[in-house]
Amino acid sequence: MAQDWRLFQGGDTRPHKVETWPAAPPWRRFGDDARRRDTERPLPYLISDEDRDVVNMALHLHRPLLVTGRPGTGKSTLAHAIARELMLGEVLHWPVNSRSTLTEGLYSYDAVGRLREASLKRRADETAGTEPDIGDYLRLGPLGTALLPARTPRVLLVDELDKGDVDLPNDLLTVFEEGEFEIPELARLGEGRTVHVQYAGSREKVGITSGWVSCSVFPVVVITSNGEREFPPAFLRRCVRLDLKQPDEAQLQRIVTMHLGEEVGARAQELIADFVSRRNERELATDQLLNAVRLRSSGVRVDQDVLDKLFRSLNEVDAQ
C-alpha cells in the first residue's frame, strides 16, 4: 500500500477525483462527528495522583491553576477534562498573544459601528432621536463571561499566557483578587441602568446593571505556559502551580491505545520506543507520535524517512 496512500502526486498528473476521502484521526474530527464521539466515548485524562491533588487544591482554594510543561503534555486538555468530569459546561477559551490586553479578555465595544448606525438612522429619518442600543455593540470576552454570577463556576482556559505582554499577568491580579470588573461605557449610563449584552460562547444576552460584573463563585481558571518567560512573584503567589511532566513510555502506550484502540496500541511498541529515544535528543510532542501511529495503522509504510519528517524538533531546524 506504499503508493496507494499518496492522494497528491504532483508533476503533470491529470486532475482526478478522490472517491473515498481518508477517515480523520479521532482527534481531528469536527462538527457533529466530534460531538458524537465526545458524548459516546469521552477520553479519560491521564494524570498522576500527585498532579491530580494539585488540581484539587486549586479548586478548593478558588485560585487560578498555573500549568507549565513542554508542548504536548496536556496542559490545555486539562481544562476540558475538568469541565467534562465536573459538568461545568463548555470551556471558555482565551488564547493569548503578544497583542492581548486585559480589556480584550473582559469585553469588546464596537463604538465605531454604533456611531455609524446612529448616523445612518439620522439620515433615514431626520426626526428620529433614538440612539442604537449600546448592548448590541458590546460583547463580554471569555474572562468577562467567566466572572458572570452563577451557582456553579465556568471553566476558563487562559492559553499560553507567557506569549502575552509582560504587563498582562500584573493586569490580571486585581480581577483575580476582586472577582469583578467595571465596564465604563455602561457605568456612564447611570446608576441602576441595566443593559443586556451578549456573552462569549452564546448568542444569548445577559443583563448588566450599573456597568458592574461581579462573580458569585470564582471560576475555574486554568492558565497554561510553555515557560518562555518568568512571571512576577506577585502573580505566582496568587496561583496554584502545576508542572506537568512528559509522559513516559508506559504512559505513551496508554495514550496511543486510548486514542486508537487496543490492536493499534499493541503494534505501536517499537514506534513508541523510537519516539522516546528521539525525544531525549530533541523537543517532541505526543501529538507527533500519535500522527505516526495513525499513519502506520492506515496502511502507510512509515519508514525512517517518514519518521524523520514526522519527528522534527519543535524548536529548531534539524540539520539536513
Side-chain angles (χ1 to χ4, degrees):
M1 285 188 75
Q3 297 296 324
D4 296 343
W5 72 283
R6 294 186 172 91
L7 306 178
F8 171 74
Q9 298 293 335
D12 59 355
T13 305
R14 294 182 62 183
H16 55 281
K17 186 176 182 61
V18 178
E19 298 297 338
T20 304
W21 199 253
W27 55 90
R28 292 295 298 167
R29 295 175 184 171
F30 304 94
D32 292 338
D33 194 19
R35 286 188 286 271
R36 189 182 309 111
R37 179 176 181 272
D38 290 341
T39 301
E40 295 175 355
R41 192 174 68 89
L43 297 178
Y45 184 82
L46 303 181
I47 189 170
S48 69
D49 292 344
E50 181 181 359
D51 290 345
R52 177 201 60 198
D53 289 345
V54 175
V55 173
N56 282 289
M57 291 177 195
L59 297 179
H60 280 275
L61 294 172
H62 292 228
R63 288 287 188 182
L65 179 68
L66 176 60
V67 187
T68 56
R70 292 184 176 182
T73 51
K75 299 185 298 294
S76 300
T77 310
L78 176 56
H80 294 273
I82 294 171
R84 182 178 64 247
E85 182 176 329
L86 302 182
M87 300 179 67
L88 297 177
E90 293 291 327
V91 173
L92 296 164
H93 186 203
W94 183 16
V96 174
N97 57 51
S98 60
R99 300 178 300 278
S100 298
T101 64
L102 175 62
T103 300
E104 169 196 299
L106 294 174
Y107 72 98
S108 60
Y109 174 48
D110 184 9
V112 174
R114 186 174 182 231
L115 183 63
R116 183 184 300 115
E117 181 69 17
S119 177
L120 290 174
K121 284 188 174 182
R122 282 193 294 269
R123 290 178 184 177
D125 185 355
E126 295 294 338
T127 62
T130 58
E131 292 290 325
D133 185 356
I134 189 173
D136 293 336
Y137 300 88
L138 208 151
R139 178 187 175 90
L140 295 182
L143 175 56
T145 301
L147 293 172
L148 287 171
R151 187 176 61 85
T152 56
R154 293 291 301 270
V155 177
L156 170 67
L157 172 60
V158 183
D159 216 2
E160 299 189 333
L161 181 60
D162 52 331
K163 293 188 180 299
D165 184 82
V166 66
D167 292 326
L168 184 56
N170 281 330
D171 293 340
L172 288 168
L173 289 180
T174 300
V175 175
F176 283 161
E177 284 300 291
E178 303 297 333
E180 62 180 11
F181 68 98
E182 183 186 46
I183 302 176
E185 291 85 353
L186 300 185
R188 286 194 289 267
L189 298 178
E191 186 72 21
R193 174 78 177 272
T194 297
V195 176
H196 290 82
V197 304
Q198 193 173 346
Y199 55 93
S202 174
R203 294 183 179 180
E204 302 294 326
K205 289 190 173 185
V206 62
I208 297 177
T209 302
S210 303
W212 277 97
V213 176
S214 181
C215 68
S216 51
V217 57
F218 190 73
V220 177
V221 180
V222 178
I223 304 170
T224 71
S225 169
N226 290 322
E228 294 186 5
R229 63 177 174 82
E230 293 294 325
F231 295 119
F235 176 80
L236 293 176
R237 75 178 181 86
R238 289 170 169 84
C239 298
V240 175
R241 301 164 69 180
L242 172 62
D243 184 27
L244 291 178
K245 303 298 188 295
Q246 288 185 315
D248 59 24
E249 195 164 334
Q251 291 171 317
L252 289 171
Q253 183 75 51
R254 292 180 62 193
I255 291 172
V256 170
T257 300
M258 182 176 65
H259 281 282
L260 296 171
E262 294 281 351
E263 184 179 347
V264 174
R267 299 200 305 265
Q269 294 179 357
E270 181 182 345
L271 199 54
I272 293 172
D274 186 4
F275 173 81
V276 172
S277 176
R278 293 171 184 252
R279 195 180 63 182
N280 292 333
E281 302 173 354
R282 66 188 72 171
E283 188 83 11
L284 296 176
T286 305
D287 296 27
Q288 293 169 278
L289 170 63
L290 289 171
N291 290 338
V293 177
R294 170 66 182 187
L295 278 180
R296 175 174 287 180
S297 68
S298 300
V300 178
R301 185 167 64 86
V302 181
D303 54 21
Q304 286 301 313
D305 182 59
V306 172
L307 286 180
D308 289 341
K309 291 179 172 63
L310 289 173
F311 293 164
R312 294 286 298 273
S313 175
L314 299 179
N315 57 7
E316 63 182 0
V317 178
D318 296 333
Q320 300 297 318

